Amino acid sequence: MAVISFRGSIPPLTNATRVTMAMPDLLPADGGLWKVIWILGDEGKQSDWIARKTDMEALSRRTGCMTVMTEGLHSDYENMVRGLRWYDYVTDGLPRYIRSIFPVSDKSEDNFVFGYGMGGLGAFRIAMRDPDFAAAYGCCSADFDLFAEDEEHSTASYMHRMKTIYGDDLRSAEVLERCDPFTMAEKAVTVPKMLICGDASAQRIAGTLSEKNSELSFMPLTGENALEESLRAFESFKR
Amino acid sequence: MAFFKVQFSSEVLGGEGEFSAFLPRNAEPPYRVLWLLHGAFGDFFESIEYSSVLMYAEQRGLAVVAPSSYMGVYTDMVYGEKGYSFVKEVLEKAPKLFRCLSEERDDSYLMGISMGGHGTFKLAAEMPERFRGACGFSSPVDMVYTMSLLESGNHGGGHELYDAFGSSDAYRNTVGDVITNLRNDLEAGKKLPRLALCWGDKDHAAPEDIRVKEIIESLGIKLYSRVGPGGHNFDTWDPMMAEVLDYLMEEEE
């Protein structure tokens, strides 16, 4: 087994960030390249959060993949209107950097994306915008209703957070087409292989997308074991 | 610099090993590499914590790779860990993991602090074709001699040195017998790395290093040496690090 902790600055981010990686061994067998599971963590969590909550080394061993865990602060993994370009970071800057250093494959069929909570939202958006980035996506426990106008999504602190990420006009067609999961799902032309885990909102998204790709699966999952169970489910699903 | 801490299952140790890698922001890969060996009983963090070696390295476009050598005495201990084989495992595997690190001789440098200097000179003498330069700071380069001092009651070391090296006789004519191996390299016509040795004027290692300097120079080997004000600590070593790196990296005549 091997675990790597990174601290540094990776463009286009301008701040120091952290990445945690786990591999089945220090080097891939026979001078080959590792497949990669890109793992997007939850809101406000550091890059090793999922590794601390689950057995990430065992996941790497069982799948034979390098797992690359990143953090996204409070960004929704978006190119923020008032903040940093987190979407470009996770889909371009980070993969480019990791591939320039370590023996990992850049082929779409050798790459997978899993996200939990805010990371689940990030994984979903990558699947919608850049479906060829990876062979399969796991989107778990995301708040797909983030643009809803209900009580939960209307508090002052919530609106401040949303405007920081998406700008002042949260109802503009441009923002909704680009960022609202339900609008994205309705307009999606290419839908990759996806596992969606979560509550009723996740089920509604999955219902829309499953009409466009038979390789889409929904798993009802909430509660304190959801992270562990969704990772296990994704491990089986991505095969 | 970009910082990586790597923990892995070491074949040599039969357990988990650790090293760190620091990649410069101001250079393009493949990076030249400074292999940094910490002092006795420390870990990779020691030199980073107490010196500006990362800044000096980055100013010169060098990556830094620093293994945590177990017990830090850079030998396969008689009673203990295989500290030397572990460093060589890192030396072999790190460039295969970090594909941006050069393995070319002209891009490879060693720096060792205190006991790390023993490891530095040991590697330089065993693998002169692998390194362009090697420097030690206040280092027991000739560990055979150091053990003989210990055996005669003229050295402050304790049982851990016996555990590691056994005795002066046991260590003589092994891969750790640096003076003998440097002499053998010369006889075999091998090109040696540029060598440097620095110490402090109030340093307990000064008498050993002065002796080693005289022996090495008597072999006809050019040795860069500096004596800084101070004792056996980073206050003494840090101000000399940049100048030593410049010497090691100088274009050869």
Side-chain angles (χ1 to χ4, degrees):
Chain A
M1 287 304 308
V3 175
I4 302 176
S5 308
F6 164 86
R7 178 212 162 274
S9 181
I10 301 174
L13 297 185
T14 50
N15 61 326
T17 190
R18 287 159 181 76
V19 181
T20 304
M21 292 152 270
M23 303 97 82
D25 203 347
L26 189 63
L27 299 172
D30 304 323
L33 300 174
W34 276 304
K35 299 178 179 182
V36 183
I37 305 177
W38 304 91
I39 298 183
L40 312 186
D42 199 3
E43 180 173 7
K45 302 295 194 290
Q46 296 196 335
S47 69
D48 65 349
W49 177 71
I50 287 184
R52 286 185 276 120
K53 296 293 178 184
T54 67
D55 193 343
M56 196 56 55
E57 294 183 29
L59 175 70
S60 284
R61 190 185 65 246
R62 289 194 301 266
T63 59
C65 294
M66 175 190 254
T67 52
V68 180
M69 291 158 273
T70 184
E71 58 193 16
L73 301 183
H74 299 273
S75 68
D76 281 358
Y77 294 99
E78 269 299 346
N79 291 333
M80 301 169 74
V81 171
R82 300 178 176 98
L84 303 177
R85 291 162 54 201
W86 286 93
Y87 187 82
D88 290 346
Y89 167 68
V90 294
T91 58
D92 182 48
L94 177 64
R96 188 191 300 267
Y97 188 69
I98 296 295
R99 289 165 183 161
S100 75
I101 293 172
F102 299 113
V104 297
S105 171
D106 61 359
K107 292 179 181 173
S108 177
E109 64 262 33
D110 293 337
N111 284 265
F112 310 91
V113 178
F114 174 90
Y116 182 83
M118 186 184 84
L121 186 62
F124 177 86
R125 290 197 178 125
I126 299 172
M128 295 295 102
R129 295 176 190 161
D130 295 294
D132 293 333
F133 180 88
Y137 296 81
C139 314
C140 298
S141 299
D143 179 8
F144 290 110
D145 278 325
L146 76 163
F147 284 94
E149 294 181 297
D150 56 20
E151 191 175 342
E152 179 189 348
H153 297 94
S154 302
T155 64
S157 63
Y158 184 81
M159 294 307 290
H160 179 76
R161 176 190 183 281
M162 290 291 282
K163 288 180 179 179
T164 302
I165 299 170
Y166 302 101
D168 292 334
D169 189 357
L170 297 174
R171 309 309 303 171
S172 76
E174 191 271 331
V175 169
L176 294 175
E177 279 191 27
R178 188 168 55 86
C179 302
D180 172 42
F182 290 99
T183 309
M184 295 174 85
E186 285 166 13
K187 292 185 177 295
V189 176
T190 303
V191 176
K193 182 175 179 175
M194 292 176 75
L195 171 68
I196 297 179
C197 305
D199 58 11
S201 71
Q203 189 168 18
R204 279 188 285 129
I205 284 273
T208 302
L209 292 175
S210 62
E211 296 168 7
K212 302 178 182 182
N213 187 342
S214 60
E215 283 195 303
L216 189 137
S217 182
F218 170 72
M219 184 173 163
L221 205 56
T222 56
E224 60 184 37
N225 295 323
L227 172 58
E228 188 85 34
E229 290 178 29
S230 58
L231 256 179
R232 278 279 187 178
F234 183 64
E235 184 184 333
S236 303
F237 176 78
K238 78 170 194 60
R239 286 192 188 119
Chain B
M1 287 184 121
F3 163 61
F4 298 83
K5 185 177 90 170
V6 181
Q7 300 160 278
F8 68 105
S9 299
S10 162
E11 293 171 21
V12 166
L13 295 177
E16 292 194 333
E18 173 186 273
F19 68 95
S20 61
F22 301 84
L23 306 184
R25 292 168 294 187
N26 58 349
E28 292 297 317
Y31 300 120
R32 292 181 289 181
V33 184
L34 177 66
W35 298 86
L36 180 62
L37 307 186
H38 60 77
F41 315 116
D43 63 15
F44 80 77
F45 203 65
E46 177 191 80
S47 309
I48 309 310
E49 189 175 15
Y50 293 109
S51 80
S52 300
V53 65
L54 293 184
M55 184 177 73
Y56 303 141
E58 184 163 54
Q59 287 168 346
R60 290 157 182 78
L62 289 165
V64 176
V65 179
S68 287
S69 166
Y70 285 75
M71 299 293 285
V73 292
Y74 304 96
T75 195
D76 289 354
M77 299 170 70
V78 176
Y79 299 103
E81 303 286 353
K82 294 183 177 176
Y84 189 59
S85 293
F86 174 70
V87 170
K88 289 169 72 175
E89 185 182 17
V90 174
L91 194 61
E92 178 199 339
K93 291 182 175 176
K96 293 181 172 60
L97 174 64
F98 291 87
R99 298 190 298 177
C100 52
L101 299 180
S102 172
E103 291 185 88
E104 296 293 319
R105 180 188 194 272
D106 277 354
D107 296 333
S108 301
Y109 303 89
L110 285 160
M111 177 185 282
I113 307 300
S114 189
M115 189 65 86
H118 177 61
T120 289
F121 275 77
K122 191 169 171 177
L123 284 166
E126 188 193 1
M127 294 186 273
E129 71 289 348
R130 179 68 175 79
F131 302 101
R132 184 169 193 264
C135 59
F137 288 91
S138 305
S139 302
V141 172
D142 185 1
M143 204 65 214
V144 174
Y145 175 73
T146 302
M147 286 303 294
S148 71
L149 290 178
L150 185 66
E151 288 156 0
S152 60
N154 294 310
H155 191 278
H159 69 87
E160 60 275 3
L161 295 181
Y162 288 109
D163 293 345
F165 302 102
S167 65
S168 56
D169 280 345
Y171 207 48
R172 184 171 290 116
N173 294 321
T174 69
V175 70
D177 187 345
V178 171
I179 300 299
T180 298
N181 293 333
L182 286 175
R183 188 180 289 119
N184 291 341
D185 288 338
L186 286 179
E187 288 173 6
K190 294 180 180 176
K191 183 181 180 184
L192 292 174
R194 285 184 166 217
L195 298 176
L197 188 58
C198 303
W199 60 90
D201 59 3
K202 299 178 184 64
D203 192 332
H204 66 70
E208 286 177 71
D209 284 348
I210 291 168
R211 175 184 169 274
V212 163
K213 171 179 158 52
E214 290 170 355
I215 292 174
I216 288 179
E217 289 178 344
S218 74
L219 295 174
I221 299 169
K222 186 178 178 186
L223 179 77
Y224 172 101
S225 66
R226 286 289 181 274
V227 182
H232 196 83
N233 54 54
F234 281 95
D235 288 346
T236 304
W237 303 322
D238 185 83
M240 295 189 277
M241 285 179 172
E243 189 181 334
V244 172
L245 282 174
D246 285 339
Y247 169 74
L248 297 181
M249 297 176 75
E250 259 178 23
E251 290 296 324
E252 294 188 83
E253 296 161 6

